[in-house]
Amino acid sequence: RNLFQLWNLRWRLIMGIDLVKGGKNANSHRTAPKSNDPYLLLLVKLYRFLARRTDAKFNKVVLKRLFMSRANAMPMSVSRLAVCMKGKESRIAVLVGKVLDDERVLDLPKMTVCALKFADSARARIEKAGGECLTFDQLALRAPLGQNTVLLRGRKHAREVYKHFFGVAKEGHVKPYVRSKGRKFERARGRRASRGFKK
């Protein structure tokens, strides 16, 4: 370990420190959102206060998720919400992200959902089923400590790009980046008979 530290120090002396990319800062996590959305900034102000003045871990987690980029704050469909809330209908589903509609599901159960955004069709369907759509300021009044809530989040690795990442995609199923999809591109032609011909 000491040898590694010496090597690291020597490398820094030779190369210098890239201050733009973070430099000596060990804590690279966000302390505020990048967005300039005034509604989001007011929510951050509210949950910063609640996280500081209460002992509830719920408020700290919500505050951290309010800082997240859109790639990390993944959306969730009403069908997935219904599955996650089965047997917990009396509680409030909390999602720091967007709730999307799913036309494949015909009947939705009655749910109380709190989210940053709702697709218009998703909001209409939740309310038609007798449910309720809350904003985070309404939730802060109703459950300031996060009592009687279920904190959910969408699948982070649902985006298509993760199929190309080794370690995230299934082993042996890492999707290659190819110029185009067709007969001539990465089909192993000439290597085996089942792919056109074998030399």
Side-chain angles (χ1 to χ4, degrees), residues 114-159:
C114 172
L116 276 180
K117 290 179 183 177
F118 291 89
D120 292 338
S121 51
R123 185 190 292 276
R125 288 190 67 189
I126 290 167
E127 287 173 351
K128 190 180 177 184
E132 206 177 348
C133 297
L134 301 176
T135 56
F136 274 93
D137 46 324
Q138 289 171 324
L139 180 73
L141 291 170
R142 198 177 289 195
L145 301 177
Q147 59 270 43
N148 202 32
T149 60
V150 179
L151 192 56
L152 303 168
R153 59 174 159 184
R155 274 180 58 218
K156 186 186 168 185
H157 295 154
R159 288 189 315 155

mmCIF file of all heavy atoms in Angstrom, residues 114-159:
data_model
loop_
_atom_site.group_PDB
_atom_site.id
_atom_site.type_symbol
_atom_site.label_atom_id
_atom_site.label_comp_id
_atom_site.label_asym_id
_atom_site.label_seq_id
_atom_site.Cartn_x
_atom_site.Cartn_y
_atom_site.Cartn_z
ATOM 1 N N CYS A 114 -46.695 9.653 -4.888
ATOM 2 C CA CYS A 114 -46.001 10.940 -4.861
ATOM 3 C C CYS A 114 -44.802 10.822 -5.791
ATOM 4 O O CYS A 114 -44.006 9.892 -5.666
ATOM 5 C CB CYS A 114 -45.539 11.259 -3.436
ATOM 6 S SG CYS A 114 -44.478 12.708 -3.376
ATOM 7 N N ALA A 115 -44.683 11.771 -6.738
ATOM 8 C CA ALA A 115 -43.566 11.751 -7.692
ATOM 9 C C ALA A 115 -43.234 13.171 -8.123
ATOM 10 O O ALA A 115 -44.016 14.100 -7.901
ATOM 11 C CB ALA A 115 -43.923 10.893 -8.899
ATOM 12 N N LEU A 116 -42.057 13.302 -8.750
ATOM 13 C CA LEU A 116 -41.656 14.619 -9.268
ATOM 14 C C LEU A 116 -42.530 15.030 -10.444
ATOM 15 O O LEU A 116 -42.916 16.183 -10.563
ATOM 16 C CB LEU A 116 -40.189 14.591 -9.721
ATOM 17 C CG LEU A 116 -39.114 14.800 -8.655
ATOM 18 C CD1 LEU A 116 -37.750 14.732 -9.308
ATOM 19 C CD2 LEU A 116 -39.279 16.128 -7.940
ATOM 20 N N LYS A 117 -42.805 14.074 -11.349
ATOM 21 C CA LYS A 117 -43.622 14.353 -12.534
ATOM 22 C C LYS A 117 -44.522 13.157 -12.821
ATOM 23 O O LYS A 117 -44.189 12.024 -12.469
ATOM 24 C CB LYS A 117 -42.729 14.600 -13.756
ATOM 25 C CG LYS A 117 -41.952 15.890 -13.733
ATOM 26 C CD LYS A 117 -41.100 16.004 -14.988
ATOM 27 C CE LYS A 117 -40.250 17.268 -14.956
ATOM 28 N NZ LYS A 117 -39.371 17.343 -16.146
ATOM 29 N N PHE A 118 -45.636 13.433 -13.490
ATOM 30 C CA PHE A 118 -46.548 12.388 -13.952
ATOM 31 C C PHE A 118 -46.831 12.623 -15.436
ATOM 32 O O PHE A 118 -47.066 13.764 -15.840
ATOM 33 C CB PHE A 118 -47.881 12.437 -13.194
ATOM 34 C CG PHE A 118 -47.798 12.033 -11.750
ATOM 35 C CD1 PHE A 118 -47.513 12.972 -10.768
ATOM 36 C CD2 PHE A 118 -48.012 10.722 -11.370
ATOM 37 C CE1 PHE A 118 -47.445 12.613 -9.434
ATOM 38 C CE2 PHE A 118 -47.946 10.349 -10.033
ATOM 39 C CZ PHE A 118 -47.658 11.294 -9.062
ATOM 40 N N ALA A 119 -46.820 11.559 -16.217
ATOM 41 C CA ALA A 119 -47.322 11.659 -17.585
ATOM 42 C C ALA A 119 -48.813 11.937 -17.478
ATOM 43 O O ALA A 119 -49.483 11.419 -16.571
ATOM 44 C CB ALA A 119 -47.055 10.364 -18.333
ATOM 45 N N ASP A 120 -49.354 12.748 -18.382
ATOM 46 C CA ASP A 120 -50.779 13.137 -18.303
ATOM 47 C C ASP A 120 -51.697 11.925 -18.260
ATOM 48 O O ASP A 120 -52.648 11.879 -17.469
ATOM 49 C CB ASP A 120 -51.149 14.029 -19.497
ATOM 50 C CG ASP A 120 -50.462 15.389 -19.428
ATOM 51 O OD1 ASP A 120 -50.065 15.786 -18.314
ATOM 52 O OD2 ASP A 120 -50.322 16.041 -20.479
ATOM 53 N N SER A 121 -51.409 10.930 -19.108
ATOM 54 C CA SER A 121 -52.257 9.733 -19.161
ATOM 55 C C SER A 121 -52.125 8.906 -17.878
ATOM 56 O O SER A 121 -53.102 8.320 -17.402
ATOM 57 C CB SER A 121 -51.903 8.878 -20.377
ATOM 58 O OG SER A 121 -50.512 8.633 -20.418
ATOM 59 N N ALA A 122 -50.917 8.883 -17.301
ATOM 60 C CA ALA A 122 -50.700 8.132 -16.046
ATOM 61 C C ALA A 122 -51.478 8.788 -14.904
ATOM 62 O O ALA A 122 -52.137 8.099 -14.104
ATOM 63 C CB ALA A 122 -49.216 8.082 -15.717
ATOM 64 N N ARG A 123 -51.425 10.119 -14.830
ATOM 65 C CA ARG A 123 -52.168 10.854 -13.790
ATOM 66 C C ARG A 123 -53.675 10.598 -13.923
ATOM 67 O O ARG A 123 -54.362 10.320 -12.933
ATOM 68 C CB ARG A 123 -51.884 12.353 -13.908
ATOM 69 C CG ARG A 123 -52.520 13.188 -12.807
ATOM 70 C CD ARG A 123 -52.405 14.659 -13.122
ATOM 71 N NE ARG A 123 -51.036 15.135 -13.078
ATOM 72 C CZ ARG A 123 -50.417 15.511 -11.955
ATOM 73 N NH1 ARG A 123 -51.049 15.468 -10.798
ATOM 74 N NH2 ARG A 123 -49.165 15.936 -12.000
ATOM 75 N N ALA A 124 -54.166 10.662 -15.165
ATOM 76 C CA ALA A 124 -55.596 10.454 -15.410
ATOM 77 C C ALA A 124 -56.033 9.055 -14.984
ATOM 78 O O ALA A 124 -57.098 8.888 -14.360
ATOM 79 C CB ALA A 124 -55.901 10.676 -16.891
ATOM 80 N N ARG A 125 -55.201 8.051 -15.273
ATOM 81 C CA ARG A 125 -55.561 6.663 -14.938
ATOM 82 C C ARG A 125 -55.519 6.404 -13.436
ATOM 83 O O ARG A 125 -56.359 5.681 -12.909
ATOM 84 C CB ARG A 125 -54.626 5.696 -15.666
ATOM 85 C CG ARG A 125 -54.899 5.640 -17.151
ATOM 86 C CD ARG A 125 -54.152 4.524 -17.802
ATOM 87 N NE ARG A 125 -54.640 3.224 -17.360
ATOM 88 C CZ ARG A 125 -54.037 2.078 -17.657
ATOM 89 N NH1 ARG A 125 -52.945 2.071 -18.398
ATOM 90 N NH2 ARG A 125 -54.517 0.930 -17.226
ATOM 91 N N ILE A 126 -54.529 6.985 -12.748
ATOM 92 C CA ILE A 126 -54.431 6.814 -11.281
ATOM 93 C C ILE A 126 -55.645 7.448 -10.608
ATOM 94 O O ILE A 126 -56.251 6.863 -9.706
ATOM 95 C CB ILE A 126 -53.112 7.417 -10.748
ATOM 96 C CG1 ILE A 126 -51.913 6.573 -11.194
ATOM 97 C CG2 ILE A 126 -53.121 7.509 -9.222
ATOM 98 C CD1 ILE A 126 -50.562 7.226 -11.005
ATOM 99 N N GLU A 127 -56.012 8.659 -11.068
ATOM 100 C CA GLU A 127 -57.158 9.361 -10.468
ATOM 101 C C GLU A 127 -58.487 8.691 -10.824
ATOM 102 O O GLU A 127 -59.416 8.674 -10.014
ATOM 103 C CB GLU A 127 -57.152 10.826 -10.911
ATOM 104 C CG GLU A 127 -56.042 11.622 -10.216
ATOM 105 C CD GLU A 127 -55.866 13.028 -10.739
ATOM 106 O OE1 GLU A 127 -56.496 13.370 -11.769
ATOM 107 O OE2 GLU A 127 -55.082 13.787 -10.125
ATOM 108 N N LYS A 128 -58.570 8.115 -12.030
ATOM 109 C CA LYS A 128 -59.795 7.410 -12.443
ATOM 110 C C LYS A 128 -60.018 6.165 -11.579
ATOM 111 O O LYS A 128 -61.166 5.776 -11.304
ATOM 112 C CB LYS A 128 -59.688 7.012 -13.921
ATOM 113 C CG LYS A 128 -60.999 6.499 -14.499
ATOM 114 C CD LYS A 128 -60.845 6.108 -15.952
ATOM 115 C CE LYS A 128 -62.148 5.525 -16.483
ATOM 116 N NZ LYS A 128 -61.995 5.045 -17.882
ATOM 117 N N ALA A 129 -58.921 5.528 -11.160
ATOM 118 C CA ALA A 129 -59.013 4.328 -10.308
ATOM 119 C C ALA A 129 -59.322 4.681 -8.848
ATOM 120 O O ALA A 129 -59.383 3.793 -7.997
ATOM 121 C CB ALA A 129 -57.709 3.543 -10.399
ATOM 122 N N GLY A 130 -59.482 5.985 -8.569
ATOM 123 C CA GLY A 130 -59.794 6.414 -7.192
ATOM 124 C C GLY A 130 -58.563 6.737 -6.380
ATOM 125 O O GLY A 130 -58.635 6.974 -5.180
ATOM 126 N N GLY A 131 -57.407 6.767 -7.059
ATOM 127 C CA GLY A 131 -56.148 7.067 -6.374
ATOM 128 C C GLY A 131 -55.876 8.559 -6.305
ATOM 129 O O GLY A 131 -56.728 9.388 -6.634
ATOM 130 N N GLU A 132 -54.648 8.886 -5.903
ATOM 131 C CA GLU A 132 -54.266 10.280 -5.692
ATOM 132 C C GLU A 132 -52.830 10.498 -6.164
ATOM 133 O O GLU A 132 -51.975 9.640 -5.962
ATOM 134 C CB GLU A 132 -54.365 10.581 -4.187
ATOM 135 C CG GLU A 132 -54.605 12.024 -3.845
ATOM 136 C CD GLU A 132 -54.766 12.227 -2.336
ATOM 137 O OE1 GLU A 132 -54.914 11.235 -1.590
ATOM 138 O OE2 GLU A 132 -54.716 13.388 -1.926
ATOM 139 N N CYS A 133 -52.587 11.639 -6.790
ATOM 140 C CA CYS A 133 -51.236 12.003 -7.234
ATOM 141 C C CYS A 133 -50.763 13.185 -6.393
ATOM 142 O O CYS A 133 -51.374 14.257 -6.428
ATOM 143 C CB CYS A 133 -51.228 12.378 -8.711
ATOM 144 S SG CYS A 133 -51.701 11.018 -9.797
ATOM 145 N N LEU A 134 -49.675 12.980 -5.652
ATOM 146 C CA LEU A 134 -49.169 14.021 -4.747
ATOM 147 C C LEU A 134 -47.870 14.613 -5.272
ATOM 148 O O LEU A 134 -47.116 13.955 -5.984
ATOM 149 C CB LEU A 134 -48.911 13.441 -3.351
ATOM 150 C CG LEU A 134 -50.063 12.796 -2.593
ATOM 151 C CD1 LEU A 134 -49.547 12.207 -1.297
ATOM 152 C CD2 LEU A 134 -51.162 13.795 -2.312
ATOM 153 N N THR A 135 -47.607 15.856 -4.860
ATOM 154 C CA THR A 135 -46.304 16.472 -5.098
ATOM 155 C C THR A 135 -45.491 16.330 -3.801
ATOM 156 O O THR A 135 -46.046 15.996 -2.753
ATOM 157 C CB THR A 135 -46.454 17.960 -5.469
ATOM 158 O OG1 THR A 135 -47.175 18.614 -4.423
ATOM 159 C CG2 THR A 135 -47.174 18.132 -6.788
ATOM 160 N N PHE A 136 -44.205 16.627 -3.867
ATOM 161 C CA PHE A 136 -43.353 16.427 -2.694
ATOM 162 C C PHE A 136 -43.632 17.442 -1.576
ATOM 163 O O PHE A 136 -43.418 17.141 -0.403
ATOM 164 C CB PHE A 136 -41.875 16.437 -3.082
ATOM 165 C CG PHE A 136 -41.396 15.086 -3.520
ATOM 166 C CD1 PHE A 136 -41.411 14.722 -4.861
ATOM 167 C CD2 PHE A 136 -40.969 14.152 -2.599
ATOM 168 C CE1 PHE A 136 -40.993 13.465 -5.272
ATOM 169 C CE2 PHE A 136 -40.544 12.893 -2.983
ATOM 170 C CZ PHE A 136 -40.559 12.555 -4.331
ATOM 171 N N ASP A 137 -44.114 18.638 -1.931
ATOM 172 C CA ASP A 137 -44.463 19.600 -0.869
ATOM 173 C C ASP A 137 -45.720 19.141 -0.138
ATOM 174 O O ASP A 137 -45.845 19.336 1.079
ATOM 175 C CB ASP A 137 -44.609 21.026 -1.423
ATOM 176 C CG ASP A 137 -45.411 21.116 -2.690
ATOM 177 O OD1 ASP A 137 -45.308 20.203 -3.524
ATOM 178 O OD2 ASP A 137 -46.156 22.091 -2.853
ATOM 179 N N GLN A 138 -46.662 18.498 -0.867
ATOM 180 C CA GLN A 138 -47.847 17.927 -0.215
ATOM 181 C C GLN A 138 -47.449 16.756 0.682
ATOM 182 O O GLN A 138 -47.995 16.593 1.777
ATOM 183 C CB GLN A 138 -48.854 17.455 -1.272
ATOM 184 C CG GLN A 138 -49.536 18.587 -2.016
ATOM 185 C CD GLN A 138 -50.352 18.080 -3.184
ATOM 186 O OE1 GLN A 138 -49.972 17.119 -3.866
ATOM 187 N NE2 GLN A 138 -51.477 18.727 -3.455
ATOM 188 N N LEU A 139 -46.490 15.973 0.223
ATOM 189 C CA LEU A 139 -46.012 14.832 1.021
ATOM 190 C C LEU A 139 -45.336 15.316 2.303
ATOM 191 O O LEU A 139 -45.510 14.701 3.361
ATOM 192 C CB LEU A 139 -45.025 13.993 0.201
ATOM 193 C CG LEU A 139 -44.442 12.778 0.918
ATOM 194 C CD1 LEU A 139 -45.484 11.683 1.048
ATOM 195 C CD2 LEU A 139 -43.217 12.256 0.208
ATOM 196 N N ALA A 140 -44.581 16.412 2.208
ATOM 197 C CA ALA A 140 -43.889 16.956 3.390
ATOM 198 C C ALA A 140 -44.874 17.368 4.468
ATOM 199 O O ALA A 140 -44.581 17.244 5.663
ATOM 200 C CB ALA A 140 -43.017 18.133 2.985
ATOM 201 N N LEU A 141 -46.056 17.850 4.065
ATOM 202 C CA LEU A 141 -47.101 18.212 5.036
ATOM 203 C C LEU A 141 -47.784 16.968 5.595
ATOM 204 O O LEU A 141 -48.104 16.899 6.780
ATOM 205 C CB LEU A 141 -48.152 19.118 4.382
ATOM 206 C CG LEU A 141 -47.698 20.532 4.008
ATOM 207 C CD1 LEU A 141 -48.745 21.219 3.169
ATOM 208 C CD2 LEU A 141 -47.413 21.354 5.261
ATOM 209 N N ARG A 142 -47.995 15.977 4.731
ATOM 210 C CA ARG A 142 -48.721 14.776 5.138
ATOM 211 C C ARG A 142 -47.847 13.794 5.907
ATOM 212 O O ARG A 142 -48.309 13.163 6.867
ATOM 213 C CB ARG A 142 -49.289 14.085 3.888
ATOM 214 C CG ARG A 142 -50.377 13.111 4.202
ATOM 215 C CD ARG A 142 -50.975 12.492 2.957
ATOM 216 N NE ARG A 142 -51.776 13.425 2.188
ATOM 217 C CZ ARG A 142 -52.626 13.045 1.225
ATOM 218 N NH1 ARG A 142 -52.769 11.762 0.942
ATOM 219 N NH2 ARG A 142 -53.308 13.940 0.551
ATOM 220 N N ALA A 143 -46.594 13.648 5.480
ATOM 221 C CA ALA A 143 -45.675 12.686 6.131
ATOM 222 C C ALA A 143 -44.288 13.296 6.232
ATOM 223 O O ALA A 143 -43.390 12.957 5.449
ATOM 224 C CB ALA A 143 -45.638 11.385 5.342
ATOM 225 N N PRO A 144 -44.083 14.240 7.170
ATOM 226 C CA PRO A 144 -42.771 14.913 7.260
ATOM 227 C C PRO A 144 -41.613 13.993 7.622
ATOM 228 O O PRO A 144 -40.458 14.299 7.314
ATOM 229 C CB PRO A 144 -42.991 15.979 8.339
ATOM 230 C CG PRO A 144 -44.199 15.550 9.085
ATOM 231 C CD PRO A 144 -45.040 14.759 8.152
ATOM 232 N N LEU A 145 -41.915 12.847 8.243
ATOM 233 C CA LEU A 145 -40.859 11.891 8.604
ATOM 234 C C LEU A 145 -40.858 10.676 7.675
ATOM 235 O O LEU A 145 -40.131 9.716 7.908
ATOM 236 C CB LEU A 145 -41.032 11.429 10.056
ATOM 237 C CG LEU A 145 -41.013 12.513 11.130
ATOM 238 C CD1 LEU A 145 -41.271 11.913 12.497
ATOM 239 C CD2 LEU A 145 -39.680 13.257 11.131
ATOM 240 N N GLY A 146 -41.701 10.723 6.649
ATOM 241 C CA GLY A 146 -41.778 9.594 5.714
ATOM 242 C C GLY A 146 -42.560 8.423 6.269
ATOM 243 O O GLY A 146 -42.407 7.294 5.802
ATOM 244 N N GLN A 147 -43.416 8.712 7.264
ATOM 245 C CA GLN A 147 -44.191 7.630 7.871
ATOM 246 C C GLN A 147 -45.276 7.138 6.911
ATOM 247 O O GLN A 147 -45.839 7.914 6.149
ATOM 248 C CB GLN A 147 -44.807 8.059 9.225
ATOM 249 C CG GLN A 147 -45.745 9.253 9.180
ATOM 250 C CD GLN A 147 -45.051 10.579 9.373
ATOM 251 O OE1 GLN A 147 -43.992 10.810 8.821
ATOM 252 N NE2 GLN A 147 -45.669 11.459 10.145
ATOM 253 N N ASN A 148 -45.506 5.819 6.931
ATOM 254 C CA ASN A 148 -46.527 5.163 6.097
ATOM 255 C C ASN A 148 -46.258 5.358 4.590
ATOM 256 O O ASN A 148 -47.178 5.558 3.807
ATOM 257 C CB ASN A 148 -47.930 5.682 6.466
ATOM 258 C CG ASN A 148 -49.015 4.705 6.046
ATOM 259 O OD1 ASN A 148 -48.804 3.502 6.044
ATOM 260 N ND2 ASN A 148 -50.163 5.222 5.664
ATOM 261 N N THR A 149 -44.981 5.341 4.212
ATOM 262 C CA THR A 149 -44.618 5.486 2.796
ATOM 263 C C THR A 149 -43.779 4.287 2.336
ATOM 264 O O THR A 149 -43.211 3.576 3.161
ATOM 265 C CB THR A 149 -43.792 6.767 2.547
ATOM 266 O OG1 THR A 149 -42.594 6.705 3.323
ATOM 267 C CG2 THR A 149 -44.563 8.023 2.869
ATOM 268 N N VAL A 150 -43.729 4.101 1.017
ATOM 269 C CA VAL A 150 -42.856 3.088 0.415
ATOM 270 C C VAL A 150 -41.988 3.830 -0.600
ATOM 271 O O VAL A 150 -42.499 4.361 -1.585
ATOM 272 C CB VAL A 150 -43.666 1.973 -0.293
ATOM 273 C CG1 VAL A 150 -42.728 0.947 -0.917
ATOM 274 C CG2 VAL A 150 -44.617 1.298 0.678
ATOM 275 N N LEU A 151 -40.693 3.896 -0.361
ATOM 276 C CA LEU A 151 -39.772 4.621 -1.239
ATOM 277 C C LEU A 151 -39.318 3.700 -2.371
ATOM 278 O O LEU A 151 -38.714 2.658 -2.134
ATOM 279 C CB LEU A 151 -38.578 5.120 -0.420
ATOM 280 C CG LEU A 151 -37.632 6.136 -1.068
ATOM 281 C CD1 LEU A 151 -38.368 7.366 -1.556
ATOM 282 C CD2 LEU A 151 -36.545 6.547 -0.089
ATOM 283 N N LEU A 152 -39.616 4.098 -3.599
ATOM 284 C CA LEU A 152 -39.323 3.266 -4.774
ATOM 285 C C LEU A 152 -38.396 4.001 -5.737
ATOM 286 O O LEU A 152 -38.258 5.217 -5.661
ATOM 287 C CB LEU A 152 -40.622 2.930 -5.515
ATOM 288 C CG LEU A 152 -41.723 2.230 -4.719
ATOM 289 C CD1 LEU A 152 -43.019 2.249 -5.505
ATOM 290 C CD2 LEU A 152 -41.339 0.806 -4.379
ATOM 291 N N ARG A 153 -37.781 3.259 -6.641
ATOM 292 C CA ARG A 153 -37.083 3.884 -7.763
ATOM 293 C C ARG A 153 -37.062 2.954 -8.966
ATOM 294 O O ARG A 153 -37.109 1.738 -8.817
ATOM 295 C CB ARG A 153 -35.676 4.342 -7.390
ATOM 296 C CG ARG A 153 -34.726 3.305 -6.903
ATOM 297 C CD ARG A 153 -33.366 3.975 -6.737
ATOM 298 N NE ARG A 153 -32.510 3.240 -5.831
ATOM 299 C CZ ARG A 153 -31.307 3.664 -5.473
ATOM 300 N NH1 ARG A 153 -30.858 4.811 -5.924
ATOM 301 N NH2 ARG A 153 -30.561 2.955 -4.666
ATOM 302 N N GLY A 154 -36.975 3.560 -10.152
ATOM 303 C CA GLY A 154 -37.001 2.785 -11.388
ATOM 304 C C GLY A 154 -35.699 2.036 -11.600
ATOM 305 O O GLY A 154 -34.698 2.288 -10.931
ATOM 306 N N ARG A 155 -35.713 1.115 -12.570
ATOM 307 C CA ARG A 155 -34.514 0.321 -12.873
ATOM 308 C C ARG A 155 -33.456 1.207 -13.494
ATOM 309 O O ARG A 155 -33.650 1.767 -14.576
ATOM 310 C CB ARG A 155 -34.869 -0.810 -13.833
ATOM 311 C CG ARG A 155 -35.367 -2.066 -13.141
ATOM 312 C CD ARG A 155 -35.703 -3.136 -14.156
ATOM 313 N NE ARG A 155 -34.543 -3.459 -14.970
ATOM 314 C CZ ARG A 155 -34.610 -3.730 -16.272
ATOM 315 N NH1 ARG A 155 -35.742 -3.683 -16.915
ATOM 316 N NH2 ARG A 155 -33.518 -4.036 -16.949
ATOM 317 N N LYS A 156 -32.321 1.326 -12.834
ATOM 318 C CA LYS A 156 -31.245 2.198 -13.322
ATOM 319 C C LYS A 156 -30.653 1.678 -14.623
ATOM 320 O O LYS A 156 -30.271 2.448 -15.496
ATOM 321 C CB LYS A 156 -30.159 2.301 -12.246
ATOM 322 C CG LYS A 156 -29.061 3.295 -12.607
ATOM 323 C CD LYS A 156 -27.942 3.277 -11.603
ATOM 324 C CE LYS A 156 -26.751 4.051 -12.126
ATOM 325 N NZ LYS A 156 -25.601 3.963 -11.247
ATOM 326 N N HIS A 157 -30.586 0.361 -14.765
ATOM 327 C CA HIS A 157 -29.936 -0.229 -15.936
ATOM 328 C C HIS A 157 -30.945 -0.603 -17.029
ATOM 329 O O HIS A 157 -30.695 -1.508 -17.821
ATOM 330 C CB HIS A 157 -29.117 -1.453 -15.525
ATOM 331 C CG HIS A 157 -27.969 -1.102 -14.626
ATOM 332 N ND1 HIS A 157 -27.420 -1.980 -13.735
ATOM 333 C CD2 HIS A 157 -27.282 0.055 -14.458
ATOM 334 C CE1 HIS A 157 -26.439 -1.393 -13.073
ATOM 335 N NE2 HIS A 157 -26.349 -0.158 -13.488
ATOM 336 N N ALA A 158 -32.071 0.110 -17.069
ATOM 337 C CA ALA A 158 -33.093 -0.176 -18.078
ATOM 338 C C ALA A 158 -32.754 0.450 -19.430
ATOM 339 O O ALA A 158 -33.235 -0.006 -20.453
ATOM 340 C CB ALA A 158 -34.449 0.336 -17.598
ATOM 341 N N ARG A 159 -31.907 1.476 -19.441
ATOM 342 C CA ARG A 159 -31.579 2.146 -20.700
ATOM 343 C C ARG A 159 -30.813 1.215 -21.640
ATOM 344 O O ARG A 159 -30.027 0.385 -21.193
ATOM 345 C CB ARG A 159 -30.718 3.398 -20.437
ATOM 346 C CG ARG A 159 -31.473 4.532 -19.804
ATOM 347 C CD ARG A 159 -30.637 5.795 -19.777
ATOM 348 N NE ARG A 159 -29.279 5.537 -19.336
ATOM 349 C CZ ARG A 159 -28.232 6.299 -19.648
ATOM 350 N NH1 ARG A 159 -28.381 7.342 -20.395
ATOM 351 N NH2 ARG A 159 -27.028 6.026 -19.198
#
